[in-house]
Amino acid sequence: MTGSIYHGQAGLPFSSALRIYEPLEAFPEQQQETLRAAGAGQASRAAVENAELLASLGRITRPDGDPFPTGRTDLVRVVPAPARRASSGAAHEGAETGTAAAAPADRLLYCPSQLVLRAGLAANALMEGIHGPLAQLLIPEEQRDKHQERIDEVRAHDGLSRVHTRASTWGIPFSWFCLFQESDPTDVVEAEGHIVTVRIRTGIGKALERVSYAVAHLALAAPDLDMLEDLTQLTEWLELFHPDSAVELDYGGVADKVYPDDSPLDVRLGIECLAEGDMTGAAAAYRRLASRWVPIRQLARAS
């Protein structure tokens, strides 16, 4: 994919994503075959990312002015499931027989893009925000009504209401870093001397433990902190998914500006310092985060 827009992304906003990958059995039966076929036919992760970028650029240049995805095709990201830790009995039996108890090598986890549903939610949020009047001019009511029909069709077919992807532009919410630690498996994707993206992945069980720890400490030490509300919403979202799922933080193009990144460590240290009443340590952790991310967020206002 050398030279593709996925590797270049010149002029595009930095976009990061938090994704949930679920096992096949977590999806409705009518959707499982579609996901299985997508996983079997997927050429590479880079191909999926490039196809999504091309599709988004194509939508904003349509002659009919409809900016929404049609739902004719929905991209699917696939990752191998993390190995399941063997029980003590199975481990002992393996030692006795000289065999290892491991998860099936071909077990996969799936994250559908759900572009139709996500585009509808994003449009609603835009309409309800401070830029609502402008959004109504950019997205005519006729197009919004037409897209609502697509959303209804997708929900009727898939029977699925939970959204597997959260996206953020011009920076990563600090609450997302609470789900990860520096020891988690990390993929650094590079091309032509630049970091295309960094992806950190962990099991959903670990992610829930970490976010619960953060919520418990912030609720006592800093109950008025905006981040506490973000973490509460994040917990409710994670609890919607299968217990064998995986959570992935995809930095996107911003990785080239900030990686190597100590943000997961700084967020954790900041919360620990607040819990211990160490305001100096908490302030130092926040300053490190701010020095790293405020310049990125300021790019959103650059001309």
Side-chain angles (χ1 to χ4, degrees):
M1 302 297 293
T2 301
S4 69
I5 60 169
Y6 167 56
H7 283 165
Q9 300 190 37
L12 297 176
F14 291 134
S15 179
S16 307
L18 189 65
R19 301 189 180 97
I20 306 291
Y21 292 79
E22 291 193 284
L24 205 59
E25 60 266 26
F27 296 90
E29 288 188 12
Q30 63 267 32
Q31 194 183 7
Q32 289 183 16
E33 186 55 41
T34 302
L35 292 170
R36 187 183 290 110
Q42 182 172 301
S44 68
R45 179 67 181 267
V48 174
E49 306 296 347
N50 199 54
E52 187 165 274
L53 267 173
L54 281 170
S56 66
L57 292 174
R59 287 194 296 273
I60 63 176
T61 56
R62 282 182 189 154
D64 61 1
D66 183 359
F68 293 104
T70 62
R72 295 190 184 96
T73 59
D74 194 30
L75 297 167
V76 179
R77 292 172 175 82
V78 182
V79 298
R84 292 175 176 172
R85 185 174 298 175
S87 64
S88 57
H92 178 72
E93 182 181 349
E96 292 276 340
T97 61
T99 59
D106 58 349
R107 182 174 170 81
L108 300 174
L109 302 178
Y110 301 82
C111 178
S113 290
Q114 301 172 293
L115 291 177
V116 168
L117 183 57
R118 288 168 52 207
L121 293 172
N124 290 340
L126 191 60
M127 296 296 168
E128 296 169 0
I130 59 174
H131 300 297
L134 177 60
Q136 291 176 13
L137 294 175
L138 296 176
I139 311 175
E141 184 176 358
E142 178 184 356
Q143 300 294 354
R144 299 198 301 272
D145 292 342
K146 182 179 179 181
H147 189 67
Q148 184 59 50
E149 295 176 4
R150 296 181 187 133
I151 293 174
D152 294 340
E153 290 175 5
V154 168
R155 283 178 166 159
H157 179 267
D158 294 341
L160 197 64
S161 59
R162 59 188 185 275
V163 179
H164 287 68
T165 303
R166 292 190 168 204
S168 175
T169 53
W170 301 113
I172 297 174
F174 292 164
S175 57
W176 291 8
F177 292 119
C178 290
L179 308 182
F180 304 94
Q181 292 186 4
E182 53 275 13
S183 58
D184 290 333
T186 302
D187 296 328
V188 180
V189 183
E190 299 181 87
E192 301 176 3
H194 295 280
I195 298 177
V196 178
T197 190
V198 171
R199 302 188 187 105
I200 308 175
R201 199 174 303 132
T202 191
I204 198 167
K206 288 184 178 179
L208 277 167
E209 289 177 4
R210 294 164 181 172
V211 73
S212 297
Y213 170 89
V215 167
H217 283 78
L218 287 180
L220 292 174
D224 297 328
L225 204 64
D226 290 341
M227 186 176 176
L228 179 58
E229 182 178 353
D230 293 343
L231 289 171
T232 302
Q233 294 176 358
L234 204 54
T235 303
E236 294 171 351
W237 179 62
L238 292 172
E239 289 174 341
L240 297 174
F241 299 94
H242 193 282
D244 289 339
S245 300
V247 188
E248 177 187 81
L249 173 57
D250 188 339
Y251 277 64
V254 75
D256 197 46
K257 300 292 185 183
V258 300
Y259 199 78
D261 179 33
D262 292 326
S263 294
L265 175 61
D266 286 332
V267 169
R268 188 168 73 253
L269 289 176
I271 292 173
E272 290 175 353
C273 287
L274 283 174
E276 296 169 1
D278 179 6
M279 297 299 109
T280 301
Y286 179 78
R287 281 196 297 271
R288 290 192 297 271
L289 287 164
S291 66
R292 192 178 302 128
W293 291 103
V294 167
I296 300 295
R297 290 169 181 166
Q298 288 174 338
L299 291 175
R301 300 179 180 85
S303 59

